[in-house]
Amino acid sequence: MDLSKPTEENVLYMIEKIKEKLRMVNVDAMKAEHFNTEQYEDLVYMYEMVMKRETISPNEMQAIAAELGSLRK
């Protein structure tokens, strides 16, 4: 997938992959429609950071969720 373009489809893809990687319990709190392309670069950064990690500690998960919450529209 070409994530270089800020499209709604790319936002949906990244949010879904982040949710899968973090195994988020409350997936309703992080729906793709809550995000837009205005903070696309920040979302790409978060996506890349999460995807390259083998493991993520509970504290890191909490920090990632908080950061994603700040990116919501």
Side-chain angles (χ1 to χ4, degrees), residues 3-7 9 14 17 23-24 28-29 35-37 40 42-45 53 55 57 60 63 66 69:
L3 297 177
S4 65
K5 296 181 173 77
T7 65
E9 182 180 281
M14 289 187 289
K17 290 298 182 183
R23 293 184 207 104
M24 294 193 71
D28 288 336
F35 297 86
N36 59 32
T37 56
Y40 190 77
D42 295 329
L43 185 57
V44 170
Y45 173 79
R53 301 289 306 269
T55 60
S57 73
E60 290 169 323

Side-chain angles (χ1 to χ4, degrees), residues 14-24 26-28 30-32 50-51:
M14 289 187 289
I15 294 298
E16 291 303 315
K17 290 298 182 183
I18 290 171
K19 287 192 307 192
E20 287 174 19
K21 182 82 173 194
L22 297 180
R23 293 184 207 104
M24 294 193 71
N26 189 2
V27 292
D28 288 336
M30 199 167 80
K31 291 184 178 182
V50 168
M51 292 300 122

